[in-house]
Short mmCIF file of all heavy atoms in Angstrom, two decimals:
data_model
loop_
_atom_site.label_atom_id
_atom_site.label_comp_id
_atom_site.label_asym_id
_atom_site.label_seq_id
_atom_site.Cartn_x
_atom_site.Cartn_y
_atom_site.Cartn_z
N VAL A 33 -23.30 -7.44 -45.85
CA VAL A 33 -22.93 -8.54 -44.97
C VAL A 33 -23.49 -9.87 -45.47
O VAL A 33 -22.80 -10.88 -45.46
CB VAL A 33 -23.39 -8.26 -43.51
CG1 VAL A 33 -23.35 -9.50 -42.66
CG2 VAL A 33 -22.57 -7.16 -42.88
N SER A 37 -21.02 -12.74 -46.85
CA SER A 37 -21.10 -14.02 -46.16
C SER A 37 -21.37 -15.17 -47.09
O SER A 37 -20.80 -16.25 -46.99
CB SER A 37 -22.19 -13.95 -45.08
OG SER A 37 -22.42 -15.20 -44.49
N CYS A 74 -18.30 -3.02 -43.09
CA CYS A 74 -19.00 -4.18 -42.53
C CYS A 74 -18.26 -4.75 -41.33
O CYS A 74 -18.85 -5.05 -40.30
CB CYS A 74 -19.18 -5.28 -43.60
SG CYS A 74 -20.32 -4.87 -44.93
N LEU A 75 -16.94 -4.88 -41.45
CA LEU A 75 -16.12 -5.38 -40.34
C LEU A 75 -16.28 -4.49 -39.12
O LEU A 75 -16.46 -5.00 -38.00
CB LEU A 75 -14.65 -5.42 -40.74
CG LEU A 75 -14.18 -6.54 -41.67
CD1 LEU A 75 -12.70 -6.38 -41.90
CD2 LEU A 75 -14.48 -7.91 -41.09
N GLU A 78 -19.91 -4.89 -37.54
CA GLU A 78 -20.12 -6.14 -36.84
C GLU A 78 -19.22 -6.27 -35.62
O GLU A 78 -19.63 -6.76 -34.54
CB GLU A 78 -19.91 -7.33 -37.78
CG GLU A 78 -20.81 -7.34 -38.99
CD GLU A 78 -22.29 -7.19 -38.63
OE1 GLU A 78 -22.79 -7.97 -37.80
OE2 GLU A 78 -22.96 -6.30 -39.17
N PHE A 110 -24.55 -12.79 -29.73
CA PHE A 110 -24.26 -12.02 -30.94
C PHE A 110 -24.09 -12.94 -32.14
O PHE A 110 -24.66 -12.70 -33.21
CB PHE A 110 -22.98 -11.17 -30.75
CG PHE A 110 -22.36 -10.72 -32.04
CD1 PHE A 110 -22.86 -9.58 -32.69
CD2 PHE A 110 -21.32 -11.41 -32.63
CE1 PHE A 110 -22.31 -9.15 -33.89
CE2 PHE A 110 -20.77 -10.98 -33.83
CZ PHE A 110 -21.28 -9.86 -34.46
N TYR A 114 -26.46 -12.82 -35.35
CA TYR A 114 -25.84 -12.25 -36.57
C TYR A 114 -24.85 -13.24 -37.14
O TYR A 114 -23.67 -13.00 -37.26
CB TYR A 114 -25.11 -10.96 -36.22
CG TYR A 114 -26.01 -9.90 -35.60
CD1 TYR A 114 -25.93 -9.61 -34.22
CD2 TYR A 114 -26.92 -9.18 -36.38
CE1 TYR A 114 -26.75 -8.64 -33.66
CE2 TYR A 114 -27.72 -8.20 -35.81
CZ TYR A 114 -27.64 -7.96 -34.46
OH TYR A 114 -28.44 -7.01 -33.90
N ARG A 115 -25.37 -14.39 -37.57
CA ARG A 115 -24.50 -15.45 -38.12
C ARG A 115 -23.78 -14.94 -39.37
O ARG A 115 -22.60 -15.28 -39.59
CB ARG A 115 -25.32 -16.70 -38.41
CG ARG A 115 -25.61 -17.53 -37.16
CD ARG A 115 -26.45 -18.75 -37.49
NE ARG A 115 -26.43 -19.72 -36.40
CZ ARG A 115 -27.22 -19.68 -35.34
NH1 ARG A 115 -28.13 -18.71 -35.24
NH2 ARG A 115 -27.15 -20.60 -34.38
N ASP A 116 -24.47 -14.18 -40.24
CA ASP A 116 -23.80 -13.65 -41.42
C ASP A 116 -22.69 -12.70 -41.01
O ASP A 116 -21.60 -12.69 -41.62
CB ASP A 116 -24.82 -12.91 -42.32
CG ASP A 116 -25.74 -13.86 -43.06
OD1 ASP A 116 -25.40 -15.07 -43.17
OD2 ASP A 116 -26.78 -13.41 -43.53
N GLY A 117 -22.95 -11.90 -39.98
CA GLY A 117 -21.93 -10.98 -39.51
C GLY A 117 -20.72 -11.69 -38.98
O GLY A 117 -19.57 -11.27 -39.21
N TRP A 118 -20.93 -12.79 -38.28
CA TRP A 118 -19.78 -13.57 -37.76
C TRP A 118 -19.03 -14.20 -38.92
O TRP A 118 -17.78 -14.22 -38.90
CB TRP A 118 -20.27 -14.68 -36.82
CG TRP A 118 -19.17 -15.54 -36.38
CD1 TRP A 118 -18.89 -16.83 -36.77
CD2 TRP A 118 -18.11 -15.20 -35.46
NE1 TRP A 118 -17.75 -17.30 -36.16
CE2 TRP A 118 -17.23 -16.32 -35.36
CE3 TRP A 118 -17.81 -14.04 -34.74
CZ2 TRP A 118 -16.12 -16.30 -34.54
CZ3 TRP A 118 -16.66 -14.04 -33.92
CH2 TRP A 118 -15.84 -15.14 -33.84
N ALA A 119 -19.73 -14.66 -39.94
CA ALA A 119 -19.04 -15.24 -41.10
C ALA A 119 -18.13 -14.23 -41.75
O ALA A 119 -17.00 -14.55 -42.16
CB ALA A 119 -20.05 -15.78 -42.10
N VAL A 120 -18.59 -12.99 -41.85
CA VAL A 120 -17.76 -11.93 -42.44
C VAL A 120 -16.58 -11.64 -41.55
O VAL A 120 -15.43 -11.53 -42.00
CB VAL A 120 -18.60 -10.66 -42.68
CG1 VAL A 120 -17.70 -9.47 -43.04
CG2 VAL A 120 -19.60 -10.88 -43.83
N LEU A 121 -16.83 -11.52 -40.24
CA LEU A 121 -15.74 -11.19 -39.31
C LEU A 121 -14.69 -12.30 -39.24
O LEU A 121 -13.48 -12.01 -39.34
CB LEU A 121 -16.32 -11.01 -37.90
CG LEU A 121 -16.81 -9.63 -37.46
CD1 LEU A 121 -17.43 -9.72 -36.08
CD2 LEU A 121 -15.69 -8.62 -37.45
N TYR A 122 -15.15 -13.51 -39.07
CA TYR A 122 -14.20 -14.57 -38.72
C TYR A 122 -13.71 -15.35 -39.96
O TYR A 122 -12.52 -15.69 -40.04
CB TYR A 122 -14.87 -15.54 -37.76
CG TYR A 122 -13.91 -16.55 -37.15
CD1 TYR A 122 -12.95 -16.16 -36.23
CD2 TYR A 122 -14.00 -17.89 -37.47
CE1 TYR A 122 -12.08 -17.07 -35.68
CE2 TYR A 122 -13.12 -18.81 -36.91
CZ TYR A 122 -12.17 -18.42 -36.02
OH TYR A 122 -11.30 -19.31 -35.47
#
Side-chain angles (χ1 to χ4, degrees):
V33 165
S37 172
C74 291
L75 285 180
E78 300 309 306
F110 162 81
Y114 302 105
R115 282 179 164 85
D116 287 342
W118 176 254
V120 168
L121 271 176
Y122 190 70

